[in-house]
Structure formats: structure tokens, C-alpha cells
Amino acid sequence: MVSIFYFINNEIKRLSVKELTQCLHLPEGILWVDLDDPHEAEEETVLVSLFDVHPLAIEDCQKGRDEEGHLPKVEDFGDSLFIIFNPVEREIHGEGKRAQLRLDIKTTQLSAVLSKRTLITHHYKPQRSITNAIQLLSKNPQTLGRGPDFLFHMIIDDVVDNYTPILDALDDTVDAMEEEVFRSPGQRTMVRILQLKKNIMTIRRVAVYQREMLHRLSRGEFPLITNDEMIYYRNVHDHLVRMTDLAESYRDIVGGLLDAYLSVTSNNLNQVMKVLTIISTIFLPLSVITGFFGMNFKHLPGAEWEYGVAAATVFMAAVGAGMLWVFKRNKWL
Amino acid sequence: MVSIFYFINNEIKRLSVKELTQCLHLPEGILWVDLDDPHEAEEETVLVSLFDVHPLAIEDCQKGRDEEGHLPKVEDFGDSLFIIFNPVEREIHGEGKRAQLRLDIKTTQLSAVLSKRTLITHHYKPQRSITNAIQLLSKNPQTLGRGPDFLFHMIIDDVVDNYTPILDALDDTVDAMEEEVFRSPGQRTMVRILQLKKNIMTIRRVAVYQREMLHRLSRGEFPLITNDEMIYYRNVHDHLVRMTDLAESYRDIVGGLLDAYLSVTSNNLNQVMKVLTIISTIFLPLSVITGFFGMNFKHLPGAEWEYGVAAATVFMAAVGAGMLWVFKRNKWL
Amino acid sequence: MVSIFYFINNEIKRLSVKELTQCLHLPEGILWVDLDDPHEAEEETVLVSLFDVHPLAIEDCQKGRDEEGHLPKVEDFGDSLFIIFNPVEREIHGEGKRAQLRLDIKTTQLSAVLSKRTLITHHYKPQRSITNAIQLLSKNPQTLGRGPDFLFHMIIDDVVDNYTPILDALDDTVDAMEEEVFRSPGQRTMVRILQLKKNIMTIRRVAVYQREMLHRLSRGEFPLITNDEMIYYRNVHDHLVRMTDLAESYRDIVGGLLDAYLSVTSNNLNQVMKVLTIISTIFLPLSVITGFFGMNFKHLPGAEWEYGVAAATVFMAAVGAGMLWVFKRNKWL
Amino acid sequence: MVSIFYFINNEIKRLSVKELTQCLHLPEGILWVDLDDPHEAEEETVLVSLFDVHPLAIEDCQKGRDEEGHLPKVEDFGDSLFIIFNPVEREIHGEGKRAQLRLDIKTTQLSAVLSKRTLITHHYKPQRSITNAIQLLSKNPQTLGRGPDFLFHMIIDDVVDNYTPILDALDDTVDAMEEEVFRSPGQRTMVRILQLKKNIMTIRRVAVYQREMLHRLSRGEFPLITNDEMIYYRNVHDHLVRMTDLAESYRDIVGGLLDAYLSVTSNNLNQVMKVLTIISTIFLPLSVITGFFGMNFKHLPGAEWEYGVAAATVFMAAVGAGMLWVFKRNKWL
Amino acid sequence: MVSIFYFINNEIKRLSVKELTQCLHLPEGILWVDLDDPHEAEEETVLVSLFDVHPLAIEDCQKGRDEEGHLPKVEDFGDSLFIIFNPVEREIHGEGKRAQLRLDIKTTQLSAVLSKRTLITHHYKPQRSITNAIQLLSKNPQTLGRGPDFLFHMIIDDVVDNYTPILDALDDTVDAMEEEVFRSPGQRTMVRILQLKKNIMTIRRVAVYQREMLHRLSRGEFPLITNDEMIYYRNVHDHLVRMTDLAESYRDIVGGLLDAYLSVTSNNLNQVMKVLTIISTIFLPLSVITGFFGMNFKHLPGAEWEYGVAAATVFMAAVGAGMLWVFKRNKWL
């Protein structure tokens, strides 16, 4: 689906593709063309015929069909900038605690061609940032009137703001995992920790690439971003610095969780071994004592004695109690 | 609460917001405006109406309401610098040893706008460095008279000095943890080590960002910091280099603590296993011997013999002693 | 074998070495000379006599006979560029699952001398990228007509595209290993994980060197690569960035696999120890009880009683059941 | 204590503080002022009144009272350089082997102010490098005559030379630890390894900071260091490169020691477990056999047979021997 | 021993030290002076009196007497370059497999002073690269005729080529270690892995320093290396890049060996524990059954029955077989 917004005389008009063809020759007006999961024919018409986008850029746009999409990048074609951004989405499986522990984060691809008077955005998956930008335009046409670079900043700022709820979810997951590790660690705990680590690495990688990209966009390397707008891009850059920082500290925490998990299972082993040792240490000697009095010697001491059994029982109880006392003293119980 | 200090004719006057409006048009005088946990209305009046601070800077100031605040940064707006600093605070839980082991470190946010004749500071949480600066002003008006960059240096120097007692507390905690690891390691030891690691990472991260920031402030990148003051900023930079260095060596030490903890628990397991092995190795053979003489064969050797039991007992004692001697020789006891 | 393609007057002619000698003096035309597993004599004729390639470059070409070949590099000889690329190949052992788990990746060497009107490629092992380029030439002579730098870009783009199926195979192997680690870990699992790690390191190393090389080729450092072509080299560079990124995330995942493997074997140990402890804890006390009633005292309590055995049996069953209940409560079963 | 050396007319005079005041106004002569553990009054007179050292530099000097002192740094005050160096000292505890294993390394602080005709050195702890420099002066006045930068190079070269015996001691300690780890590892081994690691990190950190500092001093960044002397500073820089390199390889070795220690204790556990398993595997079956013939059935096979016991004994010996043979074949013994 | 080669009129003359003194004043000719394990007197004559080498350079040369020598470096003295190289040598202990496993690599020192018309080489240990250079000179005087920088390149190229057999030996050692780890791991395995790691670190360190040095020599930083020769130095640089790369991949592999070793010993522990558990789980219940029928109750069920023993035996066999079946089903056997 192709949506076209045309800002002229302080208002926004929605155009059809046909009308667009006519507008392109006018000397005025600012255009935003959004390609939302376009057919190949639409891509052909808009990107190739109308805007003459470089074939390599179109090829990169189409990587968006892949599961992970193209990595973030910015390419300078002289009179236009080609930019790829990776919005991040959370897929929710199950409910409540279970959903918390099975955090699943996916990256999508949002491509954009930014030139002096035009912004083209291209994506195969629905993007909340684009929907929000369309709503904003209807309220405040000036958003597009300030130039395509301002509108584009709004969109990527929205994309980056969208990381916040995902990082919050990550925070909850990390807390829930911490509890699981210390309360009820099991085989699946390891699987979950590794899954969590992968998710964090995904976010970190995307944030790092985008941070580098925004660093370049905000330091005046590209003349298409005006000086006035650069400060807004710097702001997005700051948010991405924060994201990267958070992702890195989560990585450290998950590394700590792994250590904790191994230490907890090793402690459990110690616990089990102590029980085994205590049981063996008490009952093996008792077994020898009963065996002793079970020997078939004729002159077994005390065998004839009326209180023999009682004495043996008392002796055995004493041995058992003595062992327990030794354990107590060594703080094993 | 808004506090306004106005230096003119070698003395300090405290102004109300109303008086401030009038002063702003005078060609002379140096201003310091401190916003201490301001209402939105106060922020609106001071930051927006009176000083026309950039909306993005105000937005960043308001991040201070969040638990951790915005990361340290410096932004050059041409005629003013916008700076965020992260003072660090210790929250004390419990008392004595327990408090030592449960060190909890929080970062807060202190924002400042520094221009040729004005310093605006903004914070939601009470800041000791600000209180100290106010006291200093009443004693020595020249502190403000030397320019807002000198006063600002006093404040951040104070913030950085405040790290020292926290690093000392950290040092005590590390020592206490070291003792706990080698004396009485338990399940909570692991939790504490991980908590300690997080605290150290927090301090390190804040120190690194601030070090980078002061590196930029002290090398003449911003004309608002005069050459004479740069050496004072370099001094603060040096302190932060030391902090980072300390935080990094603590990180190494805590890494060593983790290794030590795992090695101690593994040693304990070895100890337990040795006891189990010694007990089994002594009593299992004895059990077989008693079993041997408990067999119901008619012609059991020695069964009829008067000293049979005694001989068997001596034999068993010999076997047990032999085993103990073997352990002794192998240095297992 | 030497194949020579000569582009003149918009068409491609295949020349023999003899014809080549004559063409070299013509002022026009573009040449591509491919040396496919050449004899020393052919190398001597083409590289030394005809094109006067620098002896060090020839020496480097001949490193291609070694198992791994020379690392990727680019050397500027003023009027020509000498470039080494490392295509990657997969050797398949066995079939199905087994082939998946025994991924074996080898690097080969493809050398090229690029000058204003000539491209010389040199390799000892058959290269799919060269075969594809030859087919392309027969369909579209313009591929060579756009200059040797364009043709060379086609070849290395093809080489890099060839990494994709290998990385897909790697992905399958990683998934299969993950399953093996959690389902049926064994001694060979460790061997396989280490083998997988080596393969990933190989790919990563090659990709990193080539990425650096393409970074240099695509930023205008060498005048032989025209501005128009640079964007195509940048495109190959982007692909290599993606490869490196993937290789690095696989390295992290394999690191996680190692941790998982160790944790799984340690969990198995815990499981075994629990069984041992449960068995010992139930049967050692029972053994003492049977031993007790097997003692040869005259006045053994209940020995004469008709329901003695039944009572002892019930008592033993109760002890066993009690033990099981304790385990149940401690969540050991 | 303040020692003052004044080089004029090719000889050295020792001055009192009073005489110094007069000399300061002469156009000729080279001065060296050493403050050895000075009172505050002496610091006030020399640093503040006579030489007008920057207050921040004095503050940094006084950090030398702290246990670790200020980190190495160099600060350019235009007409003077302020330099802090960290000599390293070894504290010896106990004797012989014990002293070797308990290596304890401390850093101290040596501050210096270097200007065109003056060198001021300042330290609270006695410094061998200073003592040596004083002795050298009395033998060869020209050492001071070649300028304060030459004398200062002599001092820091001496400081760096002093690292050699400490690194040799470290080498011995590492060797002794290696032996302990493989011969008689115990709980204190871990403590010692961690202590050793801390010492190595201390040396490494100090060496790295000083290396960076000498890199700056030796590349012509400061005009106070003349071109002729720069090569001498480069020489000191080389020594520090070697120190850092050594410290880093020791760090690797100690990392290996930790791994070795954990592997040795884990091997010991394996050894213990094998003994337990062998004992259990031999004696548990024997125990069942004796139990079998201890059952009170009327028609126990062989009970009446004359050679029953002998047969049973032979059978038991055979079972035991068989088990041992199995162990032998599996290389467990 | 001092060997002097003098190239004049297209031939090589060997000079004595005395003749050298005379030649030094001639305006023509190229000199190579090799000091092979020189006496101090020879060093004094050649380095100090004749060529006036800087005292610090001589001091560095003499570090070659130490076990490891001075680290590689290059120092520019304006009209001469002082270069230190670290050839690597293998010391062989024992024979065959044993020699393979006990790889011992030593670094030596080769110092050189390179000026416009002279090359001085200095070493205390015999250097194959020098011997080869002397042989080459006798065959092809032009090697020296092309200038001392060309000759020096020949020597260091030879030194670097000499790394190849050592890296091959390393490769064999790594393979042999891999086999040992998986076939017959023992206490000495750990010692050997650590030894191997040290050797690899030695090679890597030397290669890295030399790579950096050759990077500087080959990029035109020193006018003494002519443009024509630079390509040859770049070639040596490439070889060193390959060495470093190999050394780093060996480091990774040895890291993997350590992991593998720990995993193998941990697997062995698991194996041992399984045997223990299986034995205990089978024989402890049987022990209780025999104990049951060994109790001295009057009315023991089946005691009087003719087939009692047979029934009990069958029951015990059934219990044992049942246990084995459980193990089989759980894949423990």
C-alpha cells in the first residue's frame, strides 16, 4: 500500500500515485511517500520510475523480507541519503510469569530515502512509528512543513522510544530469572538464560549500529540534515547511547546469572553429598555393630546376658548420637 | 524551590523570581539560579520564559525524575553549555556488619546550564554539593564573582569528592566479602557478590562517562570555559581518572572473589567426599568380615574356638587401623 | 589453463596466449586473463613476460598452493592493484544429520591484478565465481565493457554471496548442536563444539580481513577504482559487515553452547548423585534394622512373638516410606 | 627536610633555605630542591613563597601522604612541568620460602616540578632514587650542569631500574606458586594466587600510566624537555614498555595458575571418588554374598557341606579379584 | 668475532678491523660489519671508536646477553636507524612424541645499526639468518650492492621465514595435545597445556612487536629505507601479519583445549559416579533382602519351606535385573 502526503500552502494533501506523478514537476511542496508492504509493481513504479532510487538501495530495501532484515546503515548518494533502521519488536508467548520468562525479541527493517524535498519510507511489516507519524501529520501539518529531515527525525525518535517498553520487559525478565535461579533452578533455566542472552545481544547490536549511524547524522557529515535539525538527531543519539549502556549492563548481569546458576547447582550438589555422607557415616558403623553381634561364634560376649540387646541398642544409639554431634560441631547440619 | 543569587558590586544578593526578571536586562552582574525539586510551573517560568532553554535540554532535565536519571553528557548550544552530572549516593540498610555487606549505591541527576553570566542548576533530589556551594557563597562572594564556570567547577569538584567516602565504603565491603568467602561462604554470598559487582559497575560507568565529559571540558573545546579555569576542570578530570581506575581494580577483585567462592565451595565438596570415602573404606570391609562370621555354615572356622570373637575383633581393628594408616600416608587426614 | 577475454567494439573475443601478445600493444580494448590452476610455464609467460607483474606479487599468488592460502590483502603498485581474496568452501562428510554436525569449512585463494585496462585473476582451485563471470560475459559483453574494476566487483560480490549458504549451513549446525547438547550430550559433543568454534573463527577472520580491504577499496584510496564503481564496492563491504556480525554472534552462541554443555553434564552428575543418595538413605537404615534382628542375643525382643516378622516388616516399610516422604517434601523426587 | 643543590661555575654548592632566597634572583645557575618528608611549614616556604607552585599541584603533592598516592601524571603549566611518578616498593614478611610466597608490593609517590633552571622533588617516603642522585652529584657535578631535565631523567631511570628486582621477586613467587599448585594445593593457595594477582595488577597499572606519560615526555610535546634529552626519556619509555609487557605476561600466567589450581583440586576429587567407587564395588557384592549364606533357611545350599565355607571364601575372593581386574582393564588403578 | 664485508667496484672484499679503519674515509663502497658474540674490546673498537654508535643503543645491544633479550624496537638517530629484532629458536628435549609434547621456544636478540652506506649487525647467539646472508653474498655480491637496507631486508625476511618451521612444530604439538586430552588426560596434561600457552604467547608477543615495527619501516617514516625497498619490507610485514594471526588462532585453540580438558575430567568423574551408583543401587537392596532372611525370628516366613532359598534367590535376581532394566531405560549403561 502506498500512502502519499504532500505539504503545500501550509496544508497536507493525500495524493494517489497518479497525482504524485504530476506534483513531482512542481518547484514547491514537500513530499512523504510511505510504502507499506508494497507489491513489486508498486516498488517498481514509485522507487524506480518516479524517484529513480539507486538499484543497490532498492535491493537493500528488499532485504526487509528476510527474517532479520539488513543491518542499520546510512549511504550518501549525493542528492539523497539512504538510511536503514531496525525497529525492535517483542513477540509474546503465553501469559503472565511464563510470558515474562520467554521474552522473544525480533528486529524488523525500516528503510528511508531522504532528499531535499522528499522522504520515502519503505517497510514490509507494520510500523507503529509510521502510524504515529501519520496521525501527527493530520493534527499538525507543520511537522512535514519543517522539512523531510524533521519528519524523519520524528519517526526514528519514535522507533527509539519504542525500545523503552522492551527494555522494561527485559528488566522484568532479568528479575524473574534471578528469582528462578536462586529459588528453583532446573534444566530449562540454562536454556532460558541463553535465550535471554541472545535477546540482549540482538538489542545491543542493533543499538550500537544505530548509535554509530546517528553519530554520523548528527555531526554535520551530511549536508541534507540542516544545522537546526542536527540537535534533534543528537537527542536520538543520546537515547541510543543510553540503550547501548543498558544493554551492556544487562549483558553483565546475565553473565552473573550464569555464574550464579552454576554456583547454585554446585551448592545443591554439595547439599546432596552432605546428606549422603551423613547417612552413610551414621548407618555404616551401626551396620557393622549389628553384624558383629550377628556372628555365629559360640562365645559371643553378652549373647547370653539378659540385657545384652538393650546394651547393644544403647551403644548403637550412642554411636549415632556421637556422629550427629560431630556433624553439628563441624556445622554440617 | 527556586534560589537565586546575584553577584554585583562585589556582593551577593538573594533575589525572588520577580526581581530576577528585572535583573536580566542589566548589562552587569553574575547570576546563579538553583532549581531544587521544582514544580512544573517553576520550571516553566525559569527555564522556558526567562532563560529560553532549549526544549530538548528541559526534557533531559526532567529525566531526573526517573530512578537513575540521564547519563552524564555535555551539549553545546553555542551561547550556552548544557551539562548533566550524576552524583552518587549510598543508601544504608541495617547496621554494622550487615550494612557493610549490603552496600546499595544509587545515582541521581544534576543538570546545569552554563552561559557567559549565568549558571542554572536543576535537580529533583537534594544535593550536598549545592548546599555546600550556597554556604560557600555566603562566606566568600568572590566564588561567584570569578564567573559561573568557576562556581560550576566548585560544584562538580564537590560531587566528585563525594565519591571518596563511597569508594571507602566499597573497600570495606570488599574486605568483609573476602572474609565471608573464606570463612563462612553460603548461598547468600553469591547473591552479595553479584550485588557488589552491580554497584561497582554503576560507579565505573558513571565515572567513565564523566571522565570523558571533563576531558572535553578541560581541553578547550568549549569557549565558555576560560583558559584560567581549564586547569581546575583538569583537576576534576584527574580525580575521575583515579575513580575509574579504582572501580576497575575493584571489578578485578570482585572477579577474583567469584573465583575464590567457587573454589571454596568446591574445596568443601572435596572435604565432604573425603569423609564419606574414609568412612566407607573403613566400615564396608568390616561389614563383610562380620557378615563372613555370620554365615550359617556348619563348619565355620573358629566358631567353636573360645577366643574366636576376640580374634575376629582384633582382625577387624587391624583392618580399620590399616586403612587409617593408608589415608595418613596419602595425606588425606 | 589460461582463458583470455578481450572486449573491443562492444563484443567479447576469446584469445589464445599468442593472440594476446599482439593485442597488448593496441591502444584500445579491455582484457580479462584468467589463470585456472596454471602450470609454472603459463605463469612465467603471462605474469612475468607479458604483464611484468612484481615478483613479490607472483610469490604471493603461489601461496595459493598451500592449504589455507595467503590472507586477504590489497597492495598498490602505482599503475596496478594486487588483491588477494579468500573464497570459502564447505567440504561435506557423510550425509543428513551426520553431515550437518560435521561441518568442515576451508578457505581457498583467489589473486587478482587490476590495472586500467586489464584484470588478471589467478587461482589453483576451481572458483564458482569465475565460472559464473565467464557465463555472464557470454550473455552480456558490457560487463567487461564497463571496465575491469566493474568485472572484478562482480567476481568478489559473487564470492561474498557464496558465504550465505555456508552461514546457513552453520546456522543449521548450531541448531543441531544445541539440540544435541540438551538431548544427548556425550564425549564427542565437546569435540564437535570445538570444531564448530574453529570453523566460525575461520569465517570471522577471513570476513574481517576482507571487510577492512573493501573499506579501503570503497573509500577512494585507490584511483584505479572509479567513483562510479565505488558504490558497488561499498555494497560488497556492507555484505561483509553483515558476515562479520553474524560470525561474531555465532561465536557468542557457541560460547553459550560450551557453558550449556558443562552445565548439562554437571546437572546429570547431580541427578546421578541424587539417585545414589536416595538409594543409600533408604536401604542403609533398613540394612541396620535387619541386622538388628539378626543379632544372636538370646533375649532378642519379639523373636519369639508370632507376629514379630510382620511387625519388623511393617516397621521397615514405614521407615522406607518416611524417607521417601522426606525426599518428596524437599522436592528431590 | 629540605636539601638544596646549586650548580654554578662547574661546581655544586649545598645551600640553606635562606641562601636559596638570595640565589633565586641571580641570572645564572641550576637549582635542585629536594623536599624529603617536609613539614607543612617547609612546603609553605619552598613551594608557595619561593617558587609559587600552582595550588592544585601542591594539593596533588600532598596526596603522597595517602597509602597509595596520586596516580602518575604530567601537567603542563607553561613555564613548568608538574610530574608525578609512582616508585614501587616491596615489603618483606617472614623469611625464605614463606617470604617468597607472601610478596607484598606498595606504590609510593614522587612529585616533581621541572622548569628551565630548577628541579623540585617532593616525597614523604624515603626514595632510593633520590639518595642515589645525591651521591652522583657529589661525584659528578656535571649531572646537574646538563640541566634539570637531565637530572630528572637520571632519577626516573633509577626508579624504573628499581622495578627489575621486584619483577625478579615476582618471577620467583610465580615459580613457587606454580610448584605449590601442583605439589600441595590447599585453601591458602587460592588466597595467595589472588594476592599475587593484585600485586601484578598494581605493577601493571603503574607501569602503564608511566609509559603513557613518558611517551608524551619523549615525543617533543613539552618544550622544557630539550631535543638532546628526549632520547634519554625514550630510553626510560622503552624500559617501561618492557615492564608492562612482563606484567601482562605474568597476568596471563597467574590466570593459568588459577585454572591449574581448579583443575588440580578437581583431579583430587576424581581420585577420591575413584577410591570410594573401587571400595564400594568390591565390598558391597561381598557383603551380599555373606548375607546370602547368613539367611536362616533350613535348606541353605552347602550349609552342611564340609568345604562350604572354603568354597564360599574362594567364590568371594574370585568376585573381588574379578572386580579388580575390571578396574585394571579400565585403567582405573 | 667481527666479520667485515666491503662492496666496491661490483665485488665483495673481506676486511680486517684494521683495513676497515682505512676504508671508512673513502667516499664510496658499502659496508656490512657483523659482530658475532663479540668481546667487550671488539664492541668498544667497532661500535664506539669506529662508528660512534649512541651509548644507549650499545646498552640495548648488550641486553642480548640476557635470557630473553630486548623487545623488538626501532629508534631513529637521524643519520642512522637502530633496530632490534627477536629471532625465535626451538630447543628440542627428548625424542619423537615426547619432544613433540615438550615444545620449548626461546627468543634471542639481533641488533642492527643501519645507515646510508653501512649495516652493522650484532648478536651474541649464532643466527642462521646471518650465516645465510654471508653465503648469499659470496654467490651474489649485488645483494650488498643494492644497499644496506636491501641486505637488512634479506636478513629479517630470513628471520621471519624461520618462524614457519616453529609454527609447524607448534601445529604438531597442538594436534598431539588434542589427542592426549581426549585419549589419556592426566595431571601432566594441564602442565603441558599451560607450557604450550606460554610458548604461543611468546611467539605472539614477538610477532606483534615486529609487525608494528615493520609497519613503520614500510610506510616511509624513515628516509633511510628507500621507496624501492619499502615494498620488500611490506612483504615481511605481511608475513608477520600472518604469524600474528596464526599465533592468535593457536591461542584460541589452546583455550579450547583447556575447556576440553576440564570437560573430559568432569566426564570421567560422571562415569565413575555412575558406576558407583549402579553398584550401590543393585547391591544395597539385595543386602537388605539377605538381611531380612537372616533375622532370628522364630516364625520367619518360608524358612522351613524346601524351596525357600531358591525362591529368595530368584527374588533377589529379579530385583537386580529390574534395577539393571531401569538403568538401561534411562540410558545409564
Side-chain angles (χ1 to χ4, degrees), chain A residues 297, chain B residues 293 305-317:
Chain A
F297 287 109
Chain B
F293 292 108
W305 186 30
E306 203 176 338
Y307 302 108
V309 174
T313 309
V314 167
F315 179 52
M316 281 158 67

Side-chain angles (χ1 to χ4, degrees), chain E residues 13-273:
Chain E
K13 290 190 201 155
R14 283 194 80 138
L15 307 184
S16 67
V17 175
K18 219 171 167 183
E19 292 165 317
L20 172 63
T21 323
Q22 297 157 347
C23 285
L24 278 178
H25 304 288
L26 298 179
E28 288 175 287
I30 295 168
L31 263 171
W32 172 30
V33 183
D34 178 55
L35 295 149
D36 182 352
D37 195 11
H39 309 297
E40 289 203 19
E42 290 173 335
E43 288 177 345
E44 181 71 24
T45 318
V46 176
L47 300 177
V48 182
S49 318
L50 292 178
F51 290 101
D52 191 26
V53 175
H54 196 286
L56 288 175
I58 296 175
E59 200 183 284
D60 284 346
C61 281
Q62 289 168 346
K63 291 261 165 74
R65 277 193 227 276
D66 300 352
E67 206 183 326
E68 298 207 319
H70 196 287
L71 281 181
K73 76 165 193 176
V74 53
E75 181 95 41
D76 191 354
F77 286 97
D79 56 349
S80 68
L81 282 181
F82 175 62
I83 296 167
I84 294 177
F85 229 79
N86 281 183
V88 163
E89 255 167 44
R90 186 188 167 188
E91 286 184 13
I92 295 174
H93 307 278
E95 278 174 38
K97 195 100 186 175
R98 185 169 291 258
Q100 215 172 54
L101 289 168
R102 284 184 56 202
L103 192 69
D104 199 359
I105 288 168
K106 295 270 175 244
T107 56
T108 63
Q109 181 180 342
L110 171 63
S111 320
V113 179
L114 183 69
S115 60
K116 224 177 163 68
R117 280 174 42 214
T118 320
L119 171 70
I120 307 170
T121 51
H122 175 284
H123 49 102
Y124 290 109
K125 282 165 201 150
Q127 297 290 347
R128 198 184 321 181
S129 55
I130 298 288
T131 325
N132 290 349
I134 294 175
Q135 282 176 6
L136 202 70
L137 274 197
S138 64
K139 286 192 219 138
N140 180 2
Q142 222 25 59
T143 313
L144 182 50
R146 289 183 64 174
D149 52 348
F150 185 80
L151 179 63
F152 183 60
H153 136 258
M154 299 291 302
I155 293 170
I156 58 176
D157 194 28
D158 206 6
V159 165
V160 172
D161 279 355
N162 240 323
Y163 287 7
T164 310
I166 285 171
L167 282 166
D168 287 348
L170 203 64
D171 201 54
D172 290 348
T173 309
V174 166
D175 284 353
M177 286 302 309
E178 220 159 52
E179 212 190 296
E180 179 172 320
V181 162
F182 286 109
R183 291 275 157 79
S184 55
Q187 190 80 48
R188 51 185 191 184
T189 311
M190 191 72 200
V191 183
R192 278 179 188 158
I193 292 177
L194 290 181
Q195 178 63 28
L196 185 59
K197 204 176 146 195
K198 271 194 220 168
N199 276 321
I200 289 169
M201 296 314 277
T202 302
I203 291 180
R204 188 182 155 274
R205 206 169 335 124
V206 169
V208 165
Y209 279 101
Q210 292 179 172
R211 190 190 61 188
E212 289 319 302
M213 200 171 102
L214 272 152
H215 185 59
R216 293 177 65 197
L217 288 172
S218 67
R219 74 175 181 208
E221 186 180 331
F222 307 107
L224 271 167
I225 311 283
T226 56
N227 268 344
D228 288 351
E229 310 303 353
M230 255 191 287
I231 182 134
Y232 293 101
Y233 282 88
R234 209 137 63 215
N235 189 36
V236 182
H237 174 251
D238 274 5
H239 291 181
L240 283 164
V241 168
R242 177 85 200 152
M243 300 291 125
T244 324
D245 193 84
L246 268 175
E248 265 158 24
S249 63
Y250 284 133
R251 191 184 49 179
D252 285 350
I253 291 170
V254 169
L257 274 183
L258 255 178
D259 287 340
Y261 174 66
L262 293 175
S263 132
V264 165
T265 55
S266 145
N267 265 324
N268 286 353
L269 180 61
N270 276 15
Q271 226 48 46
V272 171
M273 292 309 300

Side-chain angles (χ1 to χ4, degrees), chain D residues 213-233:
Chain D
M213 200 171 102
L214 273 150
H215 184 60
R216 293 177 64 196
L217 288 172
S218 67
R219 74 175 180 207
E221 187 180 331
F222 307 107
L224 272 167
I225 312 283
T226 57
N227 269 345
D228 288 351
E229 310 303 352
M230 255 191 288
I231 182 136
Y232 294 101
Y233 283 88

Side-chain angles (χ1 to χ4, degrees), chain B residues 1-3 33-39 42 121-127 130-131 134:
Chain B
M1 201 187 73
V2 184
S3 320
V33 181
D34 178 54
L35 294 149
D36 182 351
D37 194 10
H39 310 296
E42 290 174 336
T121 51
H122 175 284
H123 49 100
Y124 291 109
K125 281 166 201 149
Q127 297 290 347
I130 297 289
T131 325
I134 293 176

